[in-house]
Amino acid sequence: MAITIMDVARHAGVSPSTVSYAISGKRPISPSTRARIDKAIVALGFTANAGARALATSQTMVIGLLTQFHQDEFAPAMLQYVLPVSDTARELGYDILLVTETDATGALRRVTGTGMVDGVVLLDVVHEDPRLDTLRAAPQPGALVGLPKRTEGLDVFDLDFGESARILVDHLHALGHREIIVVSPPRHVFDRGGAYGWRFRDAALERGARYGLQIHPYYGEAQQPAIGLSINAILDARPTATALIVHNDATIAALPSVLATRGTRVPDDLSVVSLYSKDFGRAFSLPYTAVESSPDQLGQQAVRQLVRRIAEPELAGAPVTRFIAPDLTVRGSTR
Amino acid sequence: MAITIMDVARHAGVSPSTVSYAISGKRPISPSTRARIDKAIVALGFTANAGARALATSQTMVIGLLTQFHQDEFAPAMLQYVLPVSDTARELGYDILLVTETDATGALRRVTGTGMVDGVVLLDVVHEDPRLDTLRAAPQPGALVGLPKRTEGLDVFDLDFGESARILVDHLHALGHREIIVVSPPRHVFDRGGAYGWRFRDAALERGARYGLQIHPYYGEAQQPAIGLSINAILDARPTATALIVHNDATIAALPSVLATRGTRVPDDLSVVSLYSKDFGRAFSLPYTAVESSPDQLGQQAVRQLVRRIAEPELAGAPVTRFIAPDLTVRGSTR
DNA sequence: CTGAAAGCGCTTACAG
DNA sequence: CTGAAAGCGCTTACAG
């Protein structure tokens, strides 16, 4: 049906292999032959069949993107990761197969087993992620966004949550705050093994202890109206606290309206700092001083490393675990 | 490298074709043969190579999902469409190739030309969408989400924005409101040809005129702080208006905080109605009576129709343009 | 500089 | 009920 390399060859009066070489540039072609081939390609509107090429080369030029949408997750945060991965992949010549199935392990087995992809990026990796065994057994390489318990043999990329917490505590400490509330992700994130929760919280506690600060850690909520109720309860319970560190997407997104309703002014009544990306902050109009969570850098680095491993396995070297250095953006929400 | 149908055949002591038939079920296999084949498949961990299968059958079992991310777009709204499309596709046995390139037309040509996909879903279709000519020329079928000017030969799915506007005007009219503000999408959405903008606004104006209401249409903004400034300016300019219809994702998301800051109470000082999806409302904790924008239904219907056209082209019939019937959810934001 | 041929791993008429 | 063979549309050693 569609037009093939045979059609182009006939039209140009050469053999199919010559057309193939002309396209790939893998061997010299005389100018006149090349011209005829180019003309034929344009005239017939030829594009090489991806399946045939994949079969012949064992390369699909497709990367699988494995997302996880927990039912209780704050959805708007996900797209920030998907887009940079997709854009970086395309820059490097790869397309993205988006895999959103609930049965993530089965899905991973499927896309690697069928050879649909040359490699995979796993998003939202948790402490004991069931996908990792499957990934290790797969013939294709993979890159993780999110730090699991065991990183052996895997390329891992994550924000440095510990350092992020220390930067925020340092910032508040330098301003003279002595009693600080920390709102973590919801409890179920900890239960599920989202290590970023305790990595951030524990670092904040430790740093606070070193300075002799009072740090009050709380689990946050993921949805309204629970968010508003919990913030109000926490602030009521800690009337002498002067600063709030929010490490919770849903809570920080709702915070402006929660505080406005409560009549709490930032930074006059309360200093607020957080951790979110530029895009997220813009979407939700967040005015808070925050560590940039850099989903674009994470996605980009993961894809680049993955492609390196796909393209030149021998040169890619030992597995890496890379933490993005946090970057504080001051927005005047602290006093 | 990976294990093939030949390996399975050898292991089971049958021919490769028999293995293929056993897997596809396209011809009867004796119980004992079938048992040996099944055992071999499990023992070797065989999964058919997708590229080879695609080449042999000219079916990839992949659907291309063409998204458009306008730089000024309100990103959190996009994922609502992506997920239902992906989930529905998987239910029907298809994977999703996610295409996010800025050069949407070129990308569409690429994925259809290489035969990477069996069909495509175009998201966020505008009035004069440059992708449509390419789609019409492609050998694969496509389904649109969003109504273009010319629908010839295409399957189109969209919310009934006209009816949505009428339902909201009717609702306010029945409550006795006589002067109503309508906030539309940003002007650049109209400029770009996002027909949902004027379909909604014009229907609201027409309906209002029929009842003898005063309807004040305004373009909304897409980002803070412009959103807050514009809402404040509009409300100041129309002090006698008693109701606000918001057809603008970014504005409705910011409205609770804008109104709280302003000291405007809903519904005591102002009745507010809008148009957004359940998930969107939950993510942003929106308390407004609204028409449900049903991205899940749109995505699902588009994929189902597309798969019908892929699987049985002759039975799929003439192209359809289908409008989802709007559904009002009353949340008590009107008086 | 170019061509003929084998092969990638499946599916599916064609035979029996 | 099963097998041998052709073919899907490319790529790439092998020859010249």
Side-chain angles (χ1 to χ4, degrees), chain A residues 15 17-18 27-30 33 55-56:
Chain A
S15 77
S17 60
T18 299
R27 80 180 183 190
I29 305 286
S30 77
T33 303
L55 185 55

Side-chain angles (χ1 to χ4, degrees), chain B residues 18-171:
Chain B
T18 300
V19 175
S20 176
Y21 283 116
I23 292 171
S24 68
K26 288 194 180 167
R27 81 180 182 190
I29 306 284
S30 78
S32 81
T33 303
R34 153 141 280 143
R36 291 206 313 286
I37 291 176
D38 288 349
K39 192 172 307 181
I41 288 176
V42 173
L44 302 178
F46 169 76
T47 317
N49 179 275
R53 183 172 274 176
L55 185 57
T57 62
S58 348
Q59 287 219 132
T60 62
M61 300 308 286
V62 173
I63 288 172
L65 177 57
L66 281 275
T67 59
Q68 304 217 86
F69 295 94
H70 306 289
Q71 71 275 39
D72 44 26
E73 188 132 319
F74 191 61
M78 198 65 189
L79 201 63
Q80 313 178 269
Y81 289 88
V82 172
L83 232 43
V85 166
S86 173
D87 291 342
T88 307
R90 198 78 270 293
E91 267 170 38
L92 300 174
Y94 288 82
D95 273 293
I96 290 292
L97 195 78
L98 180 70
V99 183
T100 63
E101 281 166 88
T102 312
D103 174 15
T105 302
L108 180 54
R109 201 186 336 262
R110 182 169 54 81
V111 299
T112 55
T114 56
M116 298 181 86
V117 300
D118 293 338
V120 294
V121 172
L122 305 196
L123 248 39
D124 204 4
V125 171
V126 297
H127 199 54
E128 298 194 335
D129 201 303
R131 300 174 294 180
L132 301 189
D133 287 337
T134 304
L135 176 57
R136 288 197 177 89
Q140 297 96 335
L144 318 189
V145 176
L147 177 68
K149 182 174 171 190
R150 313 195 55 218
T151 62
E152 288 88 349
L154 301 171
D155 290 317
V156 180
F157 299 84
D158 205 356
L159 184 68
D160 191 335
F161 285 96
E163 185 60 18
S164 301
R166 287 187 287 273
I167 286 174
L168 293 176
V169 171
D170 286 358
H171 182 70

